[in-house]
């Protein structure tokens, strides 16, 4: 609680301070003189500090009893130094969690005390040979440790709600032209988040994150703007393919995944008095082991499919209400005992936008799921926005697991209905672009599978809520 009070006081104090990018001071002998910058023109410092309290009752996870709570802190500080065509960046991340007890949800996705999130050099290659060959006006190459956020963000995302952001080390080419066409090419390895053991996580113990050199991710992503021309204006199309290749080392055990994942995305963004839509699909082929254990040497044949689709309409009314229907599908494993792996596991992408609030909640993920739903979104003014979403969630395969809850009935006799998920969020800028208040609430009303599967928690309806305060500087 002392830490909560200290951070709250720091946030309150931060509201009284000028933004780092605009830090100024006036001469003492002439207060009316034009202010001067504290920082040199080539240096920019920005970041954010967020504190979030979360509460949950009716734990849905296997073996769960009662409720849970979390007091999560995330601080990000980015310094960028620009010299002609090269920009150097260093971003620190400090993510901590308090109010843990013996049954609390705890992992390296919630706790990662002070570490380097990004350390990179970005080279401006606009007008260079490859950019010209691809008919791209702007191009840059980013080298080093970095976060990635590409396309529909279901494969690679810098997730906003997450308390710990994913990062990678390697090379990232990004280019675009005035029309809106763009290329993204990556060759990176994931950064392993430490600590991993529960005792260290409970103490918010600092350990340096390390690159997982045994895991290589390659990807090519292309976007074509206004793909359908006058037939359906402002509709863009994307084609992509990603490759993940893993092997075991003395330091890191992996399931030896060897994946090829092609896909496409067709979308039209929301605008007033206009229908919007999105279809984002991908397939995955290759091999993997059932576990990361060194004793597991049997390769399973991988065949998976995942898709997201939605259709919405934004009304030209004062609050800009948008209503939509959506569907999320990710294949499950039809027979857990054969030599095939058919579960479309989530690797580095996001899930909150499609499937609801995460944190210590997040019952739905794009793996063994078939969920249809709808939502309404409103924007009363420039400082606030609200949304309410609903999902009717089923397992794709009755014999495979409800992944987040780790609940499974290998006989398939418990059916497939996970339950009805209701999810809401409201945000308001207390100070425009500086201090934002966010509140959210969710409920999971259990269906037949969540009530009757052999290792289900049987805790009834899950209720979840959070309140967050974020200071941007």
């Amino acid at each position: 609680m002392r830490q909560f009070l200290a951070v709250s006081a720091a946030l309150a104090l931060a509201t009284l301070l000028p933004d780092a990018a605009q830090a100024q001071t006036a001469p003492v002998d002439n207060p009316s003189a034009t202010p001067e910058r504290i920082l040199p023109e080539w240096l920019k410092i920005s970041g954010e500090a967020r504190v979030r309290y979360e509460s949950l009752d009716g734990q849905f996870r296997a073996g769960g009893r009662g409720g849970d709570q979390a007091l999560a802190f995330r601080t990000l500080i980015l310094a960028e130094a620009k010299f002609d065509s090269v920009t150097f960046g260093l971003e620190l991340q400090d993510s901590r969690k308090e109010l843990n007890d013996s049954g609390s949800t705890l992992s390296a996705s919630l706790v990662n005390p002070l570490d380097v999130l990004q350390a990179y050099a970005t080279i401006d290659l606009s007008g260079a040979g490859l950019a010209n060959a691809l008919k791209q006006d702007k191009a840059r190459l980013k080298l080093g440790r970095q976060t990635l956020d590409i396309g529909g963000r279901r494969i690679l995302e810098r997730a906003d709600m997450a308390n710990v952001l994913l990062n990678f080390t390697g090379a990232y080419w990004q280019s675009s032209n005035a029309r809106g066409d763009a290329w993204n090419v990556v060759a990176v390895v994931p950064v392993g988040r430490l600590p991993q053991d529960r005792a260290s996580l409970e103490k918010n113990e600092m350990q340096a994150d390390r690159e997982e050199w045994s895991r290589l991710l390659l990807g090519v992503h292309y976007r074509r703007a206004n793909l359908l021309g006058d037939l359906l204006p402002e509709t863009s199309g994307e084609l992509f393919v990603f490759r993940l290749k893993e092997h075991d080392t003395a330091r890191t055990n992996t399931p030896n995944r060897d994946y090829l994942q092609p896909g496409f995305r067709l979308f039209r963004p929301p605008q007033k008095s206009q229908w919007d839509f999105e279809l984002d699909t991908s397939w995955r082929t290759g091999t993997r082991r059932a576990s990361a254990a060194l004793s597991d040497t049997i390769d399973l044949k991988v065949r998976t499919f995942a898709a997201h689709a939605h259709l919405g309409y934004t009304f030209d009314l004062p609050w800009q209400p948008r209503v939509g229907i959506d569907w999320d599908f990710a294949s499950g494993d039809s027979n857990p005992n054969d030599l095939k792996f058919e579960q479309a596991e989530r690797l580095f992408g996001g899930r909150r936008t499609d499937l609801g609030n995460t944190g210590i909640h997040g019952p739905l993920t794009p793996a063994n799921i078939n969920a249809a739903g709808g939502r309404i979104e409103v924007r009363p003014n420039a400082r606030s926005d609200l949304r309410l979403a609903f999902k009717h969630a089923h397992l794709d395969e009755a014999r495979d697991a409800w992944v987040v809850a780790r609940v499974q009935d290998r006989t398939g006799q418990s059916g497939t209905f996970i339950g009805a998920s209701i999810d809401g969020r409201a945000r308001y800028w207390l100070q425009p672009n500086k201090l934002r208040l966010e509140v959210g609430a969710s409920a999971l009303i259990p269906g037949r599978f969540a009530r009757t599967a052999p290792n289900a928690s049987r805790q009834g309806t899950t209720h979840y809520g959070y309140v967050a305060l974020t200071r941007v500087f």
Side-chain angles (χ1 to χ4, degrees):
M1 186 55 65
R2 288 194 300 270
Q3 185 174 4
F4 170 68
L5 294 174
V7 172
S8 299
L11 285 168
L13 178 61
T15 65
L16 304 176
L17 299 177
D19 291 337
Q22 300 174 339
Q24 302 174 354
T25 183
V28 175
D29 57 349
N30 187 6
S32 63
T34 302
E36 299 177 356
R37 289 178 56 92
I38 294 176
L39 298 176
E41 291 288 343
W42 52 266
L43 179 61
K44 178 182 177 182
I45 297 177
S46 60
E48 68 174 49
R50 184 181 73 188
V51 56
R52 182 174 70 212
Y53 176 75
E54 307 174 52
S55 179
L56 178 148
D57 67 60
Q59 179 61 263
F60 62 86
R61 293 174 173 83
R65 293 292 180 269
D68 194 6
Q69 62 180 337
L71 187 58
F73 303 89
R74 189 187 73 183
T75 302
L76 303 171
I77 300 177
L78 172 64
E80 286 190 309
K82 183 174 177 60
F83 304 97
D84 295 326
S85 61
V86 180
T87 300
F88 297 95
L90 175 66
E91 184 171 21
L92 301 180
Q93 173 178 250
D94 187 80
S95 302
R96 300 168 188 259
K97 180 175 177 287
E98 298 292 342
L99 305 182
N100 302 306
D101 58 34
S102 59
S104 289
T105 300
L106 196 59
S107 70
S109 65
L110 296 171
V111 175
N112 190 247
L114 186 61
D115 216 314
V116 176
L117 180 65
Q118 298 195 90
Y120 59 81
T122 299
I123 307 170
D124 187 350
L125 297 175
S126 301
L130 181 57
N132 290 336
L134 295 174
K135 298 181 179 180
Q136 305 280 275
D137 304 322
K138 299 178 180 179
R140 66 174 191 171
L141 179 63
K142 193 174 184 179
L143 302 172
R145 185 178 286 192
Q146 56 193 282
T147 58
L148 296 170
D149 202 270
I150 296 175
R153 309 171 76 192
R154 296 179 180 92
I155 296 178
L156 288 167
E157 180 186 36
R158 180 175 166 128
D160 179 64
M161 189 174 186
N163 206 46
V164 178
L165 302 178
L166 288 172
N167 53 349
F168 306 82
T169 295
Y172 173 31
W173 163 280
Q174 185 179 28
S175 63
S176 62
N177 60 22
R179 170 192 165 92
D181 304 335
W183 286 90
N184 295 276
V185 182
V186 298
V188 295
V189 300
V191 176
R193 296 176 289 189
L194 296 172
Q196 291 280 343
D197 64 286
R198 187 174 182 91
S200 298
L201 292 169
E202 287 180 341
K203 294 185 293 184
N204 291 300
E205 183 177 299
M206 288 178 55
Q207 293 184 27
D209 294 344
R210 292 195 290 253
E211 278 69 18
E212 297 180 334
W213 299 109
S214 60
R215 308 174 68 203
L216 175 64
L217 177 67
L218 305 173
V220 178
H221 180 284
Y222 173 68
R223 182 181 71 232
R224 175 72 172 180
N226 200 26
L227 179 66
L228 302 180
D230 294 336
L231 179 64
L232 204 56
E234 302 171 31
T235 298
S236 297
E238 296 176 350
L239 289 174
F240 54 85
V241 60
F242 288 89
R243 172 79 188 279
L244 176 65
K245 177 69 173 177
E246 300 177 330
H247 65 272
D248 295 333
T249 66
R251 179 175 289 175
T252 305
N253 294 342
T254 75
N256 290 78
R257 286 174 283 212
D258 188 353
Y259 291 164
L260 185 68
Q261 184 171 352
F264 71 90
R265 178 176 177 239
L266 190 68
F267 67 98
R268 190 187 195 197
Q271 288 195 21
K272 291 181 182 179
S273 303
Q274 177 176 290
W275 290 96
D276 63 87
F277 63 85
E278 181 178 16
L279 176 62
D280 191 348
T281 68
S282 66
W283 297 260
R284 190 177 289 158
T285 62
T287 61
R288 64 158 286 162
R289 310 278 169 80
S291 70
L294 292 176
S295 58
D296 187 349
T297 59
I298 300 175
D299 287 328
L300 307 179
K301 188 176 182 179
V302 174
R303 294 290 184 274
T304 74
F305 174 72
H308 167 84
H310 72 243
L311 176 67
Y313 186 84
T314 302
F315 295 89
D316 189 3
L317 295 171
W319 281 28
Q320 304 175 47
R322 177 187 177 273
V323 295
I325 56 175
D326 52 49
W327 172 67
D328 287 276
F329 177 86
S331 61
D333 201 333
S334 59
N335 182 357
N337 301 315
D338 63 13
L339 295 179
K340 297 178 181 179
F341 189 90
E342 300 165 312
Q343 185 189 101
E345 57 187 320
R346 183 176 71 96
L347 296 174
F348 311 113
R351 59 189 176 116
R352 188 216 188 170
T353 301
D354 299 334
L355 298 171
N357 295 321
T358 53
I360 61 172
H361 184 53
L364 306 180
T365 194
N368 190 31
I369 193 173
N370 189 345
R375 65 181 55 205
I376 180 169
E377 302 168 342
V378 295
R379 187 177 291 273
N381 50 54
R383 296 172 68 164
S384 60
D385 63 85
L386 303 90
R387 77 178 186 195
L388 181 66
F390 169 82
K391 283 287 189 183
H392 197 262
H394 290 258
L395 302 177
D396 172 49
E397 293 290 347
R399 298 177 64 187
D400 198 3
W402 174 14
V403 173
V404 177
R406 298 184 180 178
V407 174
Q408 186 170 9
D409 182 355
R410 288 180 172 269
T411 70
Q413 295 179 2
S414 299
T416 64
F417 185 34
I418 297 172
S421 173
I422 304 170
D423 190 83
R425 180 192 72 186
R427 300 184 296 188
Y428 179 73
W429 286 101
L430 299 172
Q431 288 183 281
N433 302 316
K434 291 184 179 181
L435 186 66
R436 185 171 70 183
L437 175 68
E438 180 175 345
V439 296
S442 304
L444 178 66
I445 305 169
R448 180 189 168 197
F449 177 83
R451 295 194 312 267
T452 64
N455 63 332
S457 66
R458 295 177 173 82
Q459 296 291 291
T461 298
T462 299
H463 302 95
Y464 167 79
Y466 72 89
V467 58
L469 188 64
T470 304
R471 165 62 174 158
V472 179
F473 57 91

